[in-house]
Structure formats: structure tokens, C-alpha cells
Amino acid sequence: MACKFHASMTQPLSHLFRALVGALSITSLVLAICEPAHAEKADRTKPLNVVADRDGNFDLLKQVIVFSGNVTITKGTIVIKADRVEVRERPDGYKIAIAFGSPAHPATFRQKREGVDEYIDGQAERLEYDEKPDTIRFVNNAVVRRLRGESIGDEITGSLVTYDNTTEVFSVSGSQPGAGASSATGGRVRAVLTPREGTAAAAEAASAAGAVLKPSPTLGDKK
């Protein structure tokens, strides 16, 4: 039976490694969300925690800890899930987490927006979260959505999507520099944008979506 491995990334990686040893004995489109809500500001100062099915391995050469087996990273309301995650620390103490998935099982990201029932939700074959600039890159077959409750507000797809938590700006590219076109997007970016809530356009769209077609009372009477 697989045992869960927990690690809190509030300490430097060298401290965490010693704890592990003791415990284990061993193109482009730019879009901004123009609404008053923001990503949870408190998330930036929260500790980065990791849970995995298998033990973490510390690479002395690369100064990186590798977690594998149903890995879940949490940092405040941020939740990242992947098959494998590498966590490294900058000289200034900020951490970088790279989450690896696959075309069949992409790595996933979710973060709540402050003050509203909305989430930024995305997936890609690789996620790169950097604490210092507070950005996340969705790499290869990227899909990023803004969810209103469980409904999709906006959706962006491309080979590379970068999301800046501080400014809430998305940068989207159909293909990475020096790389071929994404097999899923064909080198193109795609955005589906819905009207901002509380506007006349949003009310009209909601009315149209709720309209029900009614059968004619005379339909079928003709012989």
C-alpha cells in the first residue's frame, strides 16, 4: 500500500533534505481579466506544501527535490496536481516548482479569485510555477479557463500560456520559440470570451441561453 509523503517548503531545501534523510533514513495573444476581483493576494506569502505517494529524492548536483506519484502542491488556494514535480530554491529563497504531466494525464492548476466565486483553472503537459514573480507557465497543449462557480467564463488554448498572478494578465502563444506547432492547437491560439457579469451584454447572453423552444400548437395537425 502506497504511503503518502508530506513536505512543507517553508524551510530552505537543504533543511528539508536533512529532514528527509532523518525521516527516510537514507503569434501571441495577451488578455487581461478586467474585473474588480483579483487572485488571492494572501497566496503569495503562504508556505508551499507537497504531498506525494512516493518518497522525495534530493539531487545534490542540481539542488532540486523530485517528488513522484500523484503529487499535489498547495500554496494557499493554489492547487497543482501532477505525476511528478521538481522543486528548487533560488539563492534569494523563492522557490520554483515544475510539474510534469503527459498528453493523456496533464498537470493541473487551480486558484481562487479573491472576493468572488471564481477560479483560474488550467492544464498542460508541464506547469512552471515561480514564486518570485508569482507567475505560472502552462507548456504544451495548454488550456486555461476562468470558472464562475462550475461554469466556464472564458477559455484560452495554445501551446504556451503564461499567467501573471499579480497583474492577472494572460500571454498566449500558438507555438513556443524554436519549437514546432503544438499538435493540439496546430500553432494557433484560441480564446472564447464571455461578457463581464453585471453588464447588458451578459444579461442578453444569459437570456438567450435560457430561451426554450416551444412547439407550435398546430404542428403535426396536417394530414
Short mmCIF file of all heavy atoms in Angstrom, two decimals, residues 15-16 18 25 45 51 59 75 81-82 155 157 160 174 185 213 216 222:
data_model
loop_
_atom_site.label_atom_id
_atom_site.label_comp_id
_atom_site.label_asym_id
_atom_site.label_seq_id
_atom_site.Cartn_x
_atom_site.Cartn_y
_atom_site.Cartn_z
N HIS A 15 17.63 22.28 4.47
CA HIS A 15 16.99 21.86 5.71
C HIS A 15 16.01 20.74 5.45
O HIS A 15 15.90 19.79 6.21
CB HIS A 15 16.27 23.05 6.36
CG HIS A 15 17.21 24.11 6.85
ND1 HIS A 15 16.77 25.29 7.40
CD2 HIS A 15 18.57 24.18 6.84
CE1 HIS A 15 17.82 26.05 7.72
NE2 HIS A 15 18.91 25.39 7.37
N LEU A 16 15.25 20.88 4.36
CA LEU A 16 14.27 19.87 4.03
C LEU A 16 14.96 18.55 3.70
O LEU A 16 14.50 17.49 4.08
CB LEU A 16 13.42 20.31 2.83
CG LEU A 16 12.36 19.30 2.35
CD1 LEU A 16 11.43 18.94 3.51
CD2 LEU A 16 11.56 19.90 1.21
N ARG A 18 17.77 17.45 4.94
CA ARG A 18 18.18 16.82 6.19
C ARG A 18 17.00 16.18 6.88
O ARG A 18 17.11 15.10 7.47
CB ARG A 18 18.85 17.85 7.10
CG ARG A 18 20.22 18.29 6.62
CD ARG A 18 20.98 18.99 7.73
NE ARG A 18 20.41 20.30 8.01
CZ ARG A 18 20.79 21.41 7.38
NH1 ARG A 18 21.70 21.36 6.43
NH2 ARG A 18 20.25 22.56 7.69
N SER A 25 15.69 7.74 6.58
CA SER A 25 16.92 7.00 6.88
C SER A 25 17.66 6.80 5.58
O SER A 25 18.17 5.77 5.30
CB SER A 25 16.60 5.68 7.56
OG SER A 25 15.93 5.93 8.77
N THR A 45 2.22 34.69 0.13
CA THR A 45 3.01 34.54 1.35
C THR A 45 2.77 33.22 2.07
O THR A 45 3.36 32.97 3.12
CB THR A 45 2.68 35.69 2.32
OG1 THR A 45 1.28 35.69 2.63
CG2 THR A 45 3.04 37.03 1.71
N VAL A 51 2.52 16.93 -1.27
CA VAL A 51 2.10 15.59 -0.85
C VAL A 51 2.30 14.66 -2.03
O VAL A 51 1.91 14.98 -3.16
CB VAL A 51 0.61 15.56 -0.41
CG1 VAL A 51 0.20 14.15 -0.01
CG2 VAL A 51 0.38 16.51 0.75
N ASP A 59 18.48 15.80 -5.44
CA ASP A 59 19.58 15.76 -6.40
C ASP A 59 20.62 16.79 -5.97
O ASP A 59 20.41 18.00 -6.09
CB ASP A 59 19.05 16.07 -7.81
CG ASP A 59 20.09 15.86 -8.89
OD1 ASP A 59 21.28 16.19 -8.64
OD2 ASP A 59 19.72 15.38 -9.98
N LYS A 75 -0.56 25.91 -2.03
CA LYS A 75 0.01 27.18 -1.54
C LYS A 75 -1.15 28.14 -1.40
O LYS A 75 -1.55 28.78 -2.36
CB LYS A 75 1.06 27.70 -2.52
CG LYS A 75 1.76 28.99 -2.08
CD LYS A 75 2.83 29.37 -3.10
CE LYS A 75 3.39 30.77 -2.84
NZ LYS A 75 4.11 30.85 -1.55
N LYS A 81 -1.59 19.65 -9.40
CA LYS A 81 -1.52 18.20 -9.35
C LYS A 81 -0.79 17.69 -10.59
O LYS A 81 -1.00 18.19 -11.70
CB LYS A 81 -2.92 17.59 -9.29
CG LYS A 81 -3.68 17.95 -8.01
CD LYS A 81 -5.04 17.26 -7.96
CE LYS A 81 -5.77 17.60 -6.67
NZ LYS A 81 -7.08 16.91 -6.59
N ALA A 82 0.08 16.68 -10.38
CA ALA A 82 0.88 16.17 -11.50
C ALA A 82 1.43 14.79 -11.15
O ALA A 82 1.40 14.36 -10.00
CB ALA A 82 2.02 17.12 -11.81
N GLU A 155 -12.15 30.94 -21.85
CA GLU A 155 -11.24 29.80 -22.08
C GLU A 155 -10.20 30.19 -23.12
O GLU A 155 -10.52 30.79 -24.15
CB GLU A 155 -12.02 28.58 -22.56
CG GLU A 155 -11.13 27.36 -22.79
CD GLU A 155 -11.94 26.13 -23.16
OE1 GLU A 155 -12.49 25.49 -22.24
OE2 GLU A 155 -12.04 25.83 -24.36
N THR A 157 -6.70 28.61 -25.22
CA THR A 157 -5.89 27.45 -25.53
C THR A 157 -4.71 27.87 -26.41
O THR A 157 -4.80 28.81 -27.19
CB THR A 157 -6.70 26.36 -26.27
OG1 THR A 157 -7.17 26.88 -27.52
CG2 THR A 157 -7.90 25.92 -25.45
N LEU A 160 1.57 27.62 -25.41
CA LEU A 160 2.16 28.20 -24.21
C LEU A 160 1.27 29.32 -23.70
O LEU A 160 0.96 30.26 -24.41
CB LEU A 160 3.56 28.76 -24.54
CG LEU A 160 4.24 29.56 -23.43
CD1 LEU A 160 4.52 28.70 -22.22
CD2 LEU A 160 5.54 30.18 -23.95
N GLY A 174 0.81 30.37 -29.83
CA GLY A 174 0.42 29.14 -30.53
C GLY A 174 1.54 28.14 -30.58
O GLY A 174 1.31 26.93 -30.67
N THR A 185 -3.06 22.35 -31.05
CA THR A 185 -3.56 23.66 -31.49
C THR A 185 -3.19 23.99 -32.92
O THR A 185 -3.70 24.95 -33.49
CB THR A 185 -2.99 24.77 -30.59
OG1 THR A 185 -1.55 24.79 -30.74
CG2 THR A 185 -3.32 24.52 -29.13
N LEU A 213 -37.21 26.58 -26.79
CA LEU A 213 -38.03 26.48 -28.00
C LEU A 213 -39.35 25.80 -27.66
O LEU A 213 -39.37 24.73 -27.06
CB LEU A 213 -37.28 25.66 -29.06
CG LEU A 213 -36.00 26.31 -29.62
CD1 LEU A 213 -35.34 25.35 -30.61
CD2 LEU A 213 -36.33 27.62 -30.31
N SER A 216 -45.06 24.39 -31.94
CA SER A 216 -46.25 25.03 -32.45
C SER A 216 -47.47 24.19 -32.09
O SER A 216 -47.45 22.98 -32.20
CB SER A 216 -46.15 25.17 -33.97
OG SER A 216 -47.40 25.55 -34.51
N LYS A 222 -51.48 18.65 -39.60
CA LYS A 222 -51.75 18.48 -41.01
C LYS A 222 -51.64 17.00 -41.40
O LYS A 222 -50.74 16.30 -40.98
CB LYS A 222 -50.77 19.32 -41.83
CG LYS A 222 -50.94 20.83 -41.60
CD LYS A 222 -49.98 21.60 -42.47
CE LYS A 222 -50.14 23.10 -42.24
NZ LYS A 222 -49.23 23.89 -43.06
#
